[in-house]
Amino acid sequence: MSEPRYTSLRERHESLGAAFTDFGGWLMPVRYASDLAEHHAVREAAGLFDISHMAEFWVHDGRAADFLDYALAGRVSAMPVGKAKYSFVLADDGGIVDDVIVYRTAEEYFLVIANAGNRAAVAGALDAALAAWARVHAFLDGPVEGDFASVLGGELPRVEDVSDQTALLAVQGPRARDIVEATAGIDITGTALADLGYYAWTGGTFAGASLFVARTGYTGEDGFELLVPNRVAVALWDALLTAGETFGLVPAGLAARDTLRLEAGMPLYGHELSRTVVPAQAGLARAVALDKDDFVGKGGLAADTADRPVLVGLVSGGKRAGRAGYAVYDGDARVGEVTSGALSPTLQHPIALAFVSPESSSLGTELAIDVRGTRIPATVTALPFYRRKK
């Protein structure tokens, strides 16, 4: 078993008193001082997250857009340059290998960001998809022996795993734009942050290095994710904290990230998403372009999944929250299991995500969560639990 890894910001986290937890093979800050304080800071001002454990792949050249249409569940080729899309890497049977965000940076140039724990699985899936795609298109374009690249116009798409060379920081919260704009050393050379839409990106520089800034995040708040080479990660972290001091920015760990994303109804791989779950079960069928001619997993999605458990939101009263693995009951019948749950710091009542049988999933259905032997009433409710004010 390999040793857990640290990001290039390890010393900064230790100096701030962070507690660490193993996440996807990385030792990551779980909190610096208080889960609740970090959570509320993101909702009310801003939090700074080190998410450098995430995996990054560049997919470029050749017919990269066409290839990604085959490799991913969404229709990447329809996305304009400058935008981003949430999508899936699927297995042949339609199970979710990973959920990813894809950014189009040029006509045939894409950045794919995957979960840290699925880096190897995504790399393997993209490699396998590229081989299969090349074989199919070599045949369609003109059968030959061997040289697929010549048939495909002289060049196959390239998949480059750059995870070890890059750091990714996230500034999340209503003051995020103020903070990034005020950070010394950041020079935005593309679209100004004020004009940057949600799920879009812009370019710039920081300390002489290239800077990729995306208006994306995983907290339900406005925010930005900043990708830089590892060599300037510490300087960027320090500059953001310095600029954010007057705006209420605090470093935030995985514990706050988890309650924030849960309130926002955002699924987490390993909890709501897995190889045994297809997107429709998690309410994410909209991210799958079934009208594409072909893509990895399309055949598996054609199977009848109507009787599979579906993901629902549950709200309860009191202060006792269901946690991952707790059973869900409809009357005396066990109908499902909680995948994530917490006492919502913002809403001040328990919330949970759970997979339950379809017949118990209608909005308003009264269920119960078994919280250590006590059944707590819970009502099926619409997601997200929390929606930020525009």
Side-chain angles (χ1 to χ4, degrees):
M1 187 173 180
S2 59
E3 290 292 319
R5 302 179 63 186
Y6 289 90
T7 75
S8 55
L9 293 163
R10 175 181 181 176
E11 290 185 1
R12 287 296 187 270
H13 300 321
E14 290 177 340
S15 69
L16 290 165
F20 290 84
T21 188
D22 190 337
F23 189 88
W26 293 75
L27 280 178
M28 299 299 295
V30 64
R31 68 183 62 80
Y32 296 85
S34 160
D35 303 355
L36 287 178
E38 292 164 20
H39 179 109
H40 290 309
V42 174
R43 289 279 181 254
E44 297 164 7
L48 176 59
F49 298 84
D50 177 13
I51 53 173
S52 302
H53 59 314
M54 303 290 283
E56 293 88 21
F57 301 87
W58 285 106
V59 181
H60 59 92
D61 295 323
R63 288 152 57 179
D66 187 62
F67 161 62
L68 285 175
D69 273 352
Y70 175 72
L72 303 179
R75 189 183 297 280
V76 173
S77 62
M79 178 171 60
V81 173
K83 297 293 287 184
K85 179 185 283 291
Y86 178 81
S87 193
F88 294 108
V89 178
L90 298 179
D92 288 339
D93 64 0
I96 300 172
V97 175
D98 200 13
D99 60 332
V100 299
I101 297 182
V102 187
Y103 303 85
R104 191 169 199 167
T105 63
E107 197 60 29
E108 299 293 353
Y109 225 105
F110 298 85
L111 174 65
V112 179
I113 296 187
N115 286 295
N118 290 331
R119 175 181 172 183
V122 170
L126 290 176
D127 286 347
L130 181 57
W133 176 86
R135 284 195 299 272
V136 168
H137 282 273
F139 177 77
L140 293 177
D141 295 354
V144 294
E145 291 295 330
D147 188 5
F148 299 139
S150 65
V151 178
L152 293 165
E155 189 174 17
L156 286 173
R158 295 177 60 193
V159 178
E160 292 184 84
D161 183 345
V162 295
S163 309
D164 291 336
Q165 291 94 55
T166 55
L168 189 60
L169 308 183
V171 184
Q172 298 284 297
R175 305 309 301 271
R177 180 162 69 87
D178 296 325
I179 293 164
V180 177
E181 288 178 334
T183 298
I186 287 182
D187 181 19
I188 300 297
T189 56
T191 304
L193 299 187
D195 300 324
L196 192 65
Y198 189 49
Y199 264 62
W201 68 273
T202 188
T205 62
F206 174 77
S210 62
L211 172 69
F212 180 93
V213 181
R215 201 160 199 164
T216 48
Y218 205 59
T219 62
E221 295 297 334
D222 190 16
F224 299 88
E225 295 177 311
L226 297 88
L227 185 76
V228 291
N230 279 331
R231 61 186 171 81
V232 300
V234 170
L236 179 59
W237 174 270
D238 290 345
L240 288 166
L241 281 180
T242 299
E245 192 171 350
T246 59
F247 296 103
L249 178 70
V250 302
L254 290 179
R257 190 284 303 265
D258 199 47
T259 50
L260 290 159
R261 70 92 192 169
L262 176 58
E263 289 181 344
M266 295 175 169
L268 180 65
Y269 200 90
H271 288 252
E272 287 73 40
L273 307 178
S274 71
R275 275 285 286 102
T276 61
V277 171
V278 299
Q281 285 182 261
L284 296 168
R286 64 186 182 279
V288 180
L290 280 174
D291 60 337
K292 289 192 297 185
D293 288 340
D294 194 18
F295 61 89
V296 178
K298 182 175 182 179
L301 295 180
D304 183 8
T305 58
D307 61 345
R308 290 195 186 187
V310 294
L311 190 69
V312 299
L314 297 173
V315 296
S316 304
K319 299 295 182 184
R320 300 185 68 185
R323 304 290 182 181
Y326 287 10
V328 179
Y329 286 85
D330 188 348
D332 291 330
R334 177 170 174 154
V335 295
E337 186 173 292
V338 171
T339 52
S340 300
L343 176 61
S344 166
T346 305
L347 305 172
Q348 290 294 298
H349 60 71
I351 59 175
L353 294 172
F355 276 106
V356 301
S357 58
E359 52 270 25
S360 297
S361 64
S362 299
L363 294 180
T365 301
E366 297 295 332
L367 302 175
I369 301 172
D370 189 324
V371 180
R372 297 181 179 177
T374 301
R375 295 196 182 175
I376 306 298
T379 304
V380 177
T381 188
L383 295 172
F385 301 107
Y386 163 86
R387 194 184 300 275
R388 69 183 171 90
K389 296 176 182 177
K390 300 293 183 180

